[in-house]
Amino acid sequence: QVQLVESGGGLVQPGGSLRLSCAASGLSWMRYSIGWFRRAPGQEREGSSCISILKGSTNYADSVQGRFTISKDTAKNTVYLQMNNLKPEDTATYYCARLYDTTCNLYSALYDFWGQGTQVTVSS
C-alpha cells in the first residue's frame, strides 16, 4: 500500500536551513506529483511547494518563493524540500502528500495520501 514518510525536521535559528525528505513506497511513481504542506499552530494547512515526478515541473507558494526548493531523486523514490533563510513563521508540522496527476498544484483537498509529518521549529 502507499506509504509516505517524512524526515529531516528539527530546531533551527532564523536564517538557518533544513532539508526535509519524503520517502515514497507503493506508488506508480511517474504518474504522481508530490506536494509539501504545512500546518502551523492554530492555523490552517497550507501548501508550500509541489513537484511533478514525470515532468519535474514545480510550483511554490508566495510565502516560500525564493527560499525553498523542491527536488526529486527518482532512484530513491524520494522528494526533498530544501528550506533556506528560515523564518519564525515557517514553524509548522510539514507533510508530504500524493496527488494523482502529472501536473501538480497546491490544493490540499486534491491530495489523497499523506505522511505522518515532521516538525520544523524556527526560533532564536
Side-chain angles (χ1 to χ4, degrees):
Q1 187 56 272
V2 174
Q3 287 187 311
L4 299 172
V5 180
E6 303 96 332
S7 61
L11 173 64
V12 297
Q13 294 184 324
S17 297
L18 285 173
R19 187 198 195 198
L20 306 184
S21 298
C22 174
S25 62
L27 300 174
S28 298
W29 187 241
M30 301 302 292
R31 289 296 306 162
Y32 302 137
S33 296
I34 297 293
W36 282 100
F37 297 82
R38 64 188 186 182
R39 179 176 289 166
Q43 297 186 269
E44 297 180 350
R45 182 169 56 194
E46 65 172 348
S48 61
S49 63
C50 64
I51 186 167
S52 166
I53 303 304
L54 176 65
K55 303 174 184 177
S57 55
T58 60
N59 285 301
Y60 295 92
D62 290 343
S63 58
V64 307
Q65 182 71 244
R67 300 188 298 119
F68 291 10
T69 303
I70 191 169
S71 62
K72 59 184 176 68
D73 185 333
T74 55
K76 294 184 177 181
N77 287 175
T78 300
V79 170
Y80 303 98
L81 185 66
Q82 180 66 46
M83 310 165 68
N84 297 327
N85 192 24
L86 284 162
K87 304 176 180 180
E89 52 262 45
D90 296 318
T91 295
T93 301
Y94 283 73
Y95 302 87
C96 65
R98 192 280 298 271
L99 173 70
Y100 190 68
D101 202 323
T102 55
T103 299
C104 82
N105 61 69
L106 295 176
Y107 293 98
S108 62
L110 299 179
Y111 287 73
D112 56 358
F113 289 94
W114 294 77
Q116 83 289 348
T118 186
Q119 180 66 38
V120 172
T121 303
V122 185
S123 176
S124 59

